[in-house]
């Protein structure tokens, strides 16, 4: 979001180039011209994406071999989560679907990325989060 980018810009200054990208679409041309990238951060966004598998494949296409993707988001857990997710959608119409930690790991490996670390976090109440770190495997010649 624009607000997140403004906050990030205050923290990193000119040490990084920041831009928005709707992950339901292919990467913007401005981003493709910067590739290959060393790192991609995807923070609290996957639950808005209609096809997270495509987004993860786009990440892999943009990374340099050995580059890193860091994905963090809240995750689906518990038998009651589908009911709670309905409430989330009422409050946030853009919300699409919450994934499980294992689903995020699966789509990551399907995109030719190697998961190197997964941390799950209880954030209190119904909220649990995950951080998945993955690297791009060497491209086939």
């Amino acid at each position: 979001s624009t607000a997140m980018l403004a906050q990030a810009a205050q923290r990193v200054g000119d040490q990084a180039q920041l831009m928005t990208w709707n992950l339901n679409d292919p990467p913007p041309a401005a981003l493709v011209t910067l590739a290959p990238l060393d790192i991609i951060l995807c923070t609290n966004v996957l639950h808005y994406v209609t096809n997270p598998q495509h987004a993860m494949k786009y990440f892999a296409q943009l990374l340099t071999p050995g580059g890193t993707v860091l994905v963090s988001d809240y995750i689906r857990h518990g038998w009651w989560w589908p009911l709670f997710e309905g409430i989330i959608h009422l409050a946030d119409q853009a919300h699409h679907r919450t994934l499980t930690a294992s689903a995020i790991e699966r789509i990551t490996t399907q995109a030719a990325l190697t998961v190197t670390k997964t941390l799950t976090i209880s954030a209190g109440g119904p909220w649990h989060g995950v951080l998945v770190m993955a690297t791009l495997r060497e491209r086939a010649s």
Side-chain angles (χ1 to χ4, degrees), residues 29-80:
L31 182 56
V32 173
T33 61
L34 295 173
L37 305 173
D38 296 321
I39 189 165
I40 295 174
L41 303 173
C42 180
T43 306
N44 295 328
V45 161
L46 281 186
H47 59 273
Y48 290 119
V49 179
T50 55
N51 194 332
Q53 295 87 344
H54 284 156
M56 204 63 71
K57 287 178 184 176
Y58 295 143
F59 293 164
Q61 292 168 1
L62 292 168
L63 279 176
T64 188
T68 300
V69 172
L70 289 170
V71 174
S72 67
D73 212 331
Y74 60 91
I75 54 173
R76 171 184 290 264
H77 63 94
W79 63 267
W80 49 269

Side-chain angles (χ1 to χ4, degrees), residues 6 17 35 37 54 64 75 78 80 82-83 89-90 92 101 124-126 132 140:
Q17 186 168 352
L37 305 173
H54 284 156
T64 188
I75 54 173
W80 49 269
L83 298 172
H89 185 70
L90 289 174
D92 183 357
V132 175

Side-chain angles (χ1 to χ4, degrees), residues 102-123:
S102 61
I104 294 171
E105 289 177 323
R106 185 179 64 253
I107 65 172
T108 301
T109 45
Q110 289 171 344
L113 296 159
T114 301
V115 174
T116 57
K117 188 143 192 127
T118 301
L119 298 171
T120 55
I121 304 144
S122 176

